[in-house]
């Protein structure tokens, strides 16, 4: 991966964590994360998070990252006037599932937070 691409991904990770800390996503931040909105192509950074690389996003700020991803998805659901959200590409559950391998209690707290805050494809509210 190129240095420029890594730098851009690191900026997005930082932005998503900030959204998770604030529990709010501005229009500008939303469009920065979902560059192709309203048509999502799956090439957006957040949709590259999967079972094979979810471990990379588990650090001391995993709560902020997961919550930021969820806030973005909830805003997307609102803008699209649907309950589907991102569907199965939704990255939150993949990160939570990976976290559960080392800290089931922490993973359960995040599952409950997703459940209490609108749910998603994997965690129904």
């Amino acid at each position: 991966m190129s240095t420029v691409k890594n730098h851009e991904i690191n900026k997005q990770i930082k932005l998503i964590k900030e959204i998770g800390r604030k529990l709010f996503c501005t229009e500008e931040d939303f469009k920065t994360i979902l560059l192709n909105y309203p048509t999502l192509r799956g090439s957006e950074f957040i949709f590259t998070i999967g079972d094979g690389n979810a471990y990379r996003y588990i650090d001391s700020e995993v709560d902020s990252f997961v919550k930021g991803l969820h806030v973005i998805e909830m805003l997307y659901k609102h803008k699209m006037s649907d309950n589907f959200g991102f569907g199965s590409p939704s990255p939150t559950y993949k990160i939570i599932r990976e976290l559960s391998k080392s800290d089931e209690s922490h993973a359960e707290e995040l599952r409950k937070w997703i459940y209490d805050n609108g749910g998603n494809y994997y965690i129904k509210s």
Side-chain angles (χ1 to χ4, degrees):
M1 201 178 302
S2 74
T3 304
V4 172
K5 181 121 175 134
N6 280 338
H7 177 70
E8 194 56 40
I9 289 171
N10 287 336
K11 280 178 43 181
Q12 289 218 358
I13 291 169
K14 183 178 177 182
L15 177 58
I16 292 166
K17 288 177 179 180
E18 181 60 31
I19 292 166
R21 283 189 288 278
K22 296 185 299 187
L23 298 178
F24 179 77
C25 182
T26 67
E27 187 70 22
E28 180 182 347
D29 292 346
F30 181 82
K31 289 182 177 174
T32 297
I33 301 297
L34 298 176
L35 295 170
N36 299 313
Y37 174 80
T39 304
L40 302 181
R41 295 189 169 88
S43 59
E44 294 85 358
F45 160 69
I46 62 174
F47 301 125
T48 65
I49 300 169
D51 293 325
N53 67 357
Y55 68 91
R56 294 180 187 162
Y57 306 98
I58 298 172
D59 61 15
S60 63
E61 297 178 289
V62 68
D63 288 22
S64 295
F65 191 63
V66 168
K67 289 176 181 182
L69 289 168
H70 188 67
V71 167
I72 294 163
E73 184 169 5
M74 292 298 96
L75 182 54
Y76 177 77
K77 282 172 60 171
H78 173 76
K79 287 176 163 293
M80 298 303 289
S81 298
D82 71 24
N83 287 323
F84 189 70
F86 296 149
S88 62
S90 181
T92 54
Y93 185 70
K94 294 165 184 146
I95 294 170
I96 292 170
R97 187 170 47 207
E98 184 66 29
L99 177 64
S100 72
K101 293 176 183 177
S102 60
D103 191 343
E104 180 57 41
S105 173
H106 190 180
E108 188 54 37
E109 288 173 20
L110 285 171
R111 276 188 210 98
K112 183 174 178 350
W113 188 89
I114 297 286
Y115 174 87
D116 290 342
N117 288 276
N120 63 26
Y121 180 84
Y122 296 101
I123 303 167
K124 307 294 186 211
S125 63

